[in-house]
Amino acid sequence: MKITLPDWYDDLFEFECESKGCVLNLTVTVYGQELQFDFYDITRFIQTAKDEVERSDYYNTNNLVILDKVTRENIIGYLNSLNVKPEAQC
């Protein structure tokens, strides 16, 4: 599968994401298709969701993915599990 993370997703950014437990609005390219996700680890997600529900009585997000740890390896592992087909060539 052809997966491309943004150029700025380097080792330092990966370390920061794993430490924070999330990366939001990450746009990845899978077989030429741009997809956007919010990746959380379970601890950070529970904290974020709880704070948001207390503040506004609900929590809503699109394309949410909860990983064991927010690492490049786990993100790519998730993306590999998607059923994304290559775009047709004209």
Side-chain angles (χ1 to χ4, degrees), residues 18-67:
E18 186 174 356
S19 296
K20 292 178 182 178
C22 69
V23 59
L24 306 178
N25 302 313
L26 181 65
T27 301
V28 297
T29 305
V30 180
Y31 278 130
Q33 298 177 44
E34 284 194 353
L35 305 171
Q36 190 174 68
F37 297 96
D38 291 342
F39 291 100
Y40 286 90
D41 69 24
I42 191 66
T43 302
R44 177 62 186 265
F45 174 72
I46 290 170
Q47 293 169 344
T48 300
K50 184 176 185 270
D51 290 346
E52 187 65 23
V53 168
E54 288 175 355
R55 190 172 59 80
S56 61
D57 294 330
Y58 66 90
Y59 180 82
N60 181 32
T61 186
N62 293 321
N63 300 322
L64 169 70
V65 179
I66 299 175
L67 302 170

Side-chain angles (χ1 to χ4, degrees), residues 2 5-6 9 14 16 27 33 36 53 55 63 66 70 72 74-75 79 81 84 86:
K2 176 73 170 129
L5 297 176
Y9 195 102
E14 179 180 13
E16 291 172 357
T27 301
Q33 298 177 44
Q36 190 174 68
V53 168
R55 190 172 59 80
N63 300 322
I66 299 175
V70 181
R72 179 186 337 238
N74 288 344
I75 290 169
L79 296 172
S81 75
V84 175

Side-chain angles (χ1 to χ4, degrees), residues 3-20:
I3 297 172
T4 306
L5 297 176
D7 292 338
W8 46 262
Y9 195 102
D10 60 12
D11 291 342
L12 177 57
F13 189 76
E14 179 180 13
F15 174 77
E16 291 172 357
C17 292
E18 186 174 356
S19 296
K20 292 178 182 178

